[in-house]
Amino acid sequence: MLVPILKQGDYLIASVQSELSDEDLLKLRDELVKRVGELRSRGVIIDVTALYVMDSFATRTLRAIAHMIRLRGAETIIVGIQPEVAFTMVQLGLKLEGVMTALDLEEGLAYLQTLHTSKRR
């Protein structure tokens, strides 16, 4: 399953629309890291609203994506984690350490805009 990646100004938005296999997650990682450089993006939002399961591999991969993108000079925000998913992640000890999260796409975009506005000053 391919994840659509849209360019919105200086940002990329990857909208996960269904459950992803491990291979799909790795393809998403590679494509996002590549596009950040090609498009000189300043931020990436990964919308996981459609995910109702987040296992340890998915959590590790999302965390790795965020760290790789930061090394490329952009910030990553993961948005849309469902309440049940958040509950399960906490129960299983799965963490997105060092990764910004937001309630939804709107909040994620607002955070990136605030972040980049404050960096310009």
Side-chain angles (χ1 to χ4, degrees):
M1 164 90 213
L2 293 176
V3 175
I5 301 172
L6 307 172
K7 184 175 183 337
Q8 176 71 35
D10 289 337
Y11 312 125
L12 295 176
I13 301 170
S15 182
V16 177
Q17 298 176 353
S18 65
E19 297 299 324
L20 299 176
S21 69
D22 292 353
E23 183 179 327
D24 292 334
L25 282 164
L26 295 175
K27 286 179 185 177
L28 175 62
R29 178 197 65 193
D30 296 344
E31 189 63 25
L32 281 172
V33 172
K34 181 178 99 180
R35 285 208 194 169
V36 164
E38 289 175 352
L39 301 173
R40 304 189 65 77
S41 299
R42 301 179 79 201
V44 174
I45 295 175
I46 302 173
D47 186 349
V48 296
T49 304
L51 293 183
Y52 290 98
V53 175
M54 189 130 22
D55 63 11
S56 62
F57 183 80
T59 303
R60 276 194 324 272
T61 303
L62 289 173
R63 188 173 54 231
I65 290 170
H67 291 285
M68 288 177 193
I69 288 172
R70 185 173 299 126
L71 289 171
R72 302 275 300 169
E75 291 297 324
T76 302
I77 300 178
I78 297 174
V79 303
I81 296 175
Q82 297 294 327
E84 300 82 13
V85 174
F87 178 79
T88 302
M89 288 175 70
V90 169
Q91 294 298 311
L92 295 175
L94 303 176
K95 300 177 183 175
L96 289 170
E97 292 171 330
V99 179
M100 180 63 179
T101 59
L103 185 61
D104 56 25
L105 182 59
E106 184 178 348
E107 189 176 297
L109 281 169
Y111 176 79
L112 281 176
Q113 289 169 343
T114 301
L115 179 67
H116 291 118
T117 300
S118 65
K119 281 186 176 180
R120 289 183 191 149
R121 294 179 188 172

